[in-house]
Amino acid sequence: MLQAGDHRYDVRSDADLPASGKARNYSTSLEGGKSFVLADAWSIEPQAQVMYRKRWINYALAQYPSSSGAQLDAPGQQRLIVDARRAR
């Protein structure tokens, strides 16, 4: 699976401090599994999934238009999931 996102926002707080920004993200995932018959209509299905996700966020406060705002470059996240299911 491949997924990408592009987000833009404008907000205003109760204290009337507006802010705006944008963010981008992407993720990719690969997963697989195979079912094995055990006995008497029982089966087990081991599965594994590998995922990687990356995101960038930029924001600026409207009362400081000359500032470049802040940028968050979140480190990439990796994840490995392994599980098994049984069925009858």
Side-chain angles (χ1 to χ4, degrees), residues 13-77:
S13 70
D14 290 338
D16 202 29
L17 297 172
S20 63
K22 58 186 176 180
R24 290 196 172 106
N25 67 332
Y26 72 87
S27 64
T28 183
S29 173
L30 177 66
E31 59 185 88
K34 178 163 175 50
S35 181
F36 297 97
V37 176
L38 297 176
D40 297 328
W42 282 91
S43 64
I44 189 167
E45 184 176 340
Q47 297 179 328
Q49 178 185 21
V50 178
M51 183 192 74
Y52 180 79
R53 178 173 51 196
K54 179 76 174 165
R55 62 186 161 215
W56 300 268
I57 301 170
N58 293 306
Y59 69 92
L61 298 175
Q63 73 264 32
Y64 304 111
S66 61
S67 73
S68 61
Q71 179 174 348
L72 171 64
D73 185 4
Q77 298 173 335

Side-chain angles (χ1 to χ4, degrees), residues 6-10 21-24:
D6 184 43
H7 313 279
R8 298 179 191 285
Y9 63 89
D10 293 304
K22 58 186 176 180
R24 290 196 172 106

Side-chain angles (χ1 to χ4, degrees), residues 71-88:
Q71 179 174 348
L72 171 64
D73 185 4
Q77 298 173 335
Q78 302 86 24
R79 198 161 89 177
L80 172 64
I81 300 170
V82 178
D83 71 354
R85 298 177 189 177
R86 66 181 168 94
R88 182 171 186 164

